[in-house]
Amino acid sequence: MKTPPPPLSEFHVEFPGNGLAHIVFDAPGRSMNVFSEAAILDIGRVAGWLEQADVKGALIRSGKPTGFCAGANLPEIWAAYDTILATPKPRRFAAAYEHFFRLGAALRALETCGKPVASAVAGLALGGGGELALASHYRVLTDDRYAAIGLPESLVGLLPGAGGTQRLPRLAGVEAAMPALLDGKRFAGEAAVAAGVAHRVVKPGEEIAAAEAWLLSSPAPLQPWDRDNWVAPSPTEVSAALAPVRRAALQTSLGHYPAVFAILDCVEFGLPQSLEGGIRSEMTSFVHLVLRPEPRAMIQTMFIGRLDYERLERKGQLPEIVERTIAAVRGELDRSRGDAAALAAAGFAGMGEAAPARQRCLPGYWIDSDDARARIARAALARIGEAVRPLGAGRSEEELRIADYAAVRQAGYPAYLGGPHAFGAT
């Protein structure tokens, strides 16, 4: 081997003796692979090494039986958010862009390294894992109920920031891509092949051989969008395709979930560009989004809080603050039935239909505006905060997260605010 593999911490390289390199994702000390800071650095190193390596191609696979990759390490995003907010305000955008663009740059380097790259996906490939698969030139999925490619970042207030909003619609088309980007739909089985997201579906255990067979067939190491015959859709075409999606998204979200509209912007403004331009446009939207309060609130509640809740629920150990918080929120909502229209406009579920609160997600929460409905909703939120505040005294952060998640899921509290304990503390 003329150029030995670089030192890696989350991946390792194996040589099966057929001229290929296996890039094995096997994060130490974890039951499931996630895209940590270390994993992002590893992918960049792998891409640089493949340019020089004396191999016919690279196969990316998981070293864990639990799946391919569950997505980003969201607590690290939380920590990065704190670091970026500590940066002087005029420098925050640049600091965030430089920090979060590393995975996108690494995946772009991987797909342009001059060697064919295939992914063998057994189990879930979500978030950054899905983006890694999409950045491969060839994707094999196993035919089982656990194997799927998805980009569910919108469910925690974020958007795919490593090229997912660009590669998926280029592969599957705008119409097929939007349910995955906006609602967390996953691509699995033959439906993934029909959508262009996967190339082949095989029985579990056959995915490595299938991916190797393609790599050994001397394929051109080019993505469709890097070929000379690629024709990007026009801005008019993309805008027309997205117009009904925007209208529906505004009606559903009431304008309170900026990730939805940031994703739509990524597709609308990025798809007519080259992929190079598209991924940079995507990162611009990602940075503006991640500096808002909604993603932070939703990561805390809809991801970390949900995991805590489900873990303790399985054990039958949910803290009693959960039921007490739900009861307090429901009690205040019952007393606020006269304000149902304003609460519905603020995003409370079960309070009736509401017209969109605003046409676009402007800086800040709608409930902080001078809209008459916003003032009424703000007063109701304050009453809910007062009702739950005594319940949170002496409680751990984990218990408060769990109670907030339960309030969102069972009492209809708006997820973009993070829950009554989180919002009441701001």
Side-chain angles (χ1 to χ4, degrees), residues 14-307:
E14 296 179 1
F15 299 98
N18 56 4
L20 301 176
H22 284 201
I23 314 300
V24 184
F25 198 172
D26 196 3
R30 292 184 180 274
S31 60
M32 183 69 174
N33 292 322
V34 296
F35 253 113
S36 61
E37 298 284 337
I40 293 170
L41 294 175
D42 277 1
I43 283 292
R45 294 186 184 111
V46 166
W49 171 72
L50 283 173
E51 286 195 39
Q52 308 297 325
D54 184 20
V55 296
K56 297 177 182 178
L59 168 61
I60 300 175
R61 61 179 175 86
S62 174
K64 298 185 183 298
T66 50
F68 190 75
C69 175
N73 186 342
L74 290 178
E76 286 189 349
I77 293 180
W78 183 282
Y81 182 95
D82 287 339
T83 300
I84 291 164
L85 285 187
T87 304
K89 191 172 183 179
R91 299 180 180 177
R92 285 179 192 166
F93 180 90
Y97 193 104
E98 181 180 358
H99 179 84
F100 289 114
F101 190 57
R102 293 172 303 157
L103 180 55
L107 295 184
R108 184 61 179 152
L110 183 70
E111 70 181 359
T112 59
C113 71
K115 301 290 194 316
V117 178
S119 284
V121 178
L124 293 175
L126 302 180
E131 292 183 289
L132 174 58
L134 295 178
S136 304
H137 305 107
Y138 192 78
R139 294 166 295 280
V140 178
L141 271 173
T142 56
D143 186 16
D144 65 71
R145 63 192 182 98
Y146 298 107
I149 294 173
L151 302 173
E153 285 87 347
S154 65
L155 303 182
V156 291
L158 291 171
L159 63 85
T165 68
Q166 303 305 302
R167 292 186 180 91
L168 184 59
R170 281 170 169 80
L171 290 168
V174 172
E175 183 177 356
M178 298 322 297
L181 291 171
L182 299 181
D183 305 319
K185 176 187 173 183
R186 300 171 182 178
F187 293 94
E190 292 296 339
V193 176
V197 175
H199 295 87
R200 189 174 174 190
V201 176
V202 298
K203 294 179 181 179
E206 297 179 0
E207 66 276 6
I208 293 174
E212 285 189 334
W214 180 82
L215 289 167
L216 292 171
S217 69
S218 301
L222 289 172
Q223 294 278 33
W225 43 85
D226 289 324
R227 296 172 186 158
D228 292 338
N229 63 352
W230 175 259
V231 178
S234 71
T236 302
E237 291 171 331
V238 179
S239 295
L242 288 177
V245 182
R246 282 190 183 276
R247 288 194 295 269
L250 183 61
Q251 191 66 41
T252 302
S253 72
L254 304 179
H256 294 309
Y257 294 85
V260 171
F261 302 96
I263 289 169
L264 290 168
D265 286 347
C266 286
V267 177
E268 182 163 9
F269 303 126
L271 208 56
Q273 302 184 52
S274 67
L275 192 84
E276 293 285 351
I279 62 175
R280 284 164 173 76
S281 178
E282 174 190 83
M283 183 47 53
T284 296
S285 291
F286 182 92
V287 170
H288 284 303
L289 177 63
V290 82
L291 292 177
R292 293 181 59 96
E294 294 92 345
R296 183 176 175 85
M298 292 180 70
I299 289 172
Q300 172 84 339
T301 300
M302 304 310 293
F303 178 73
I304 302 175
R306 175 180 62 82
L307 293 180

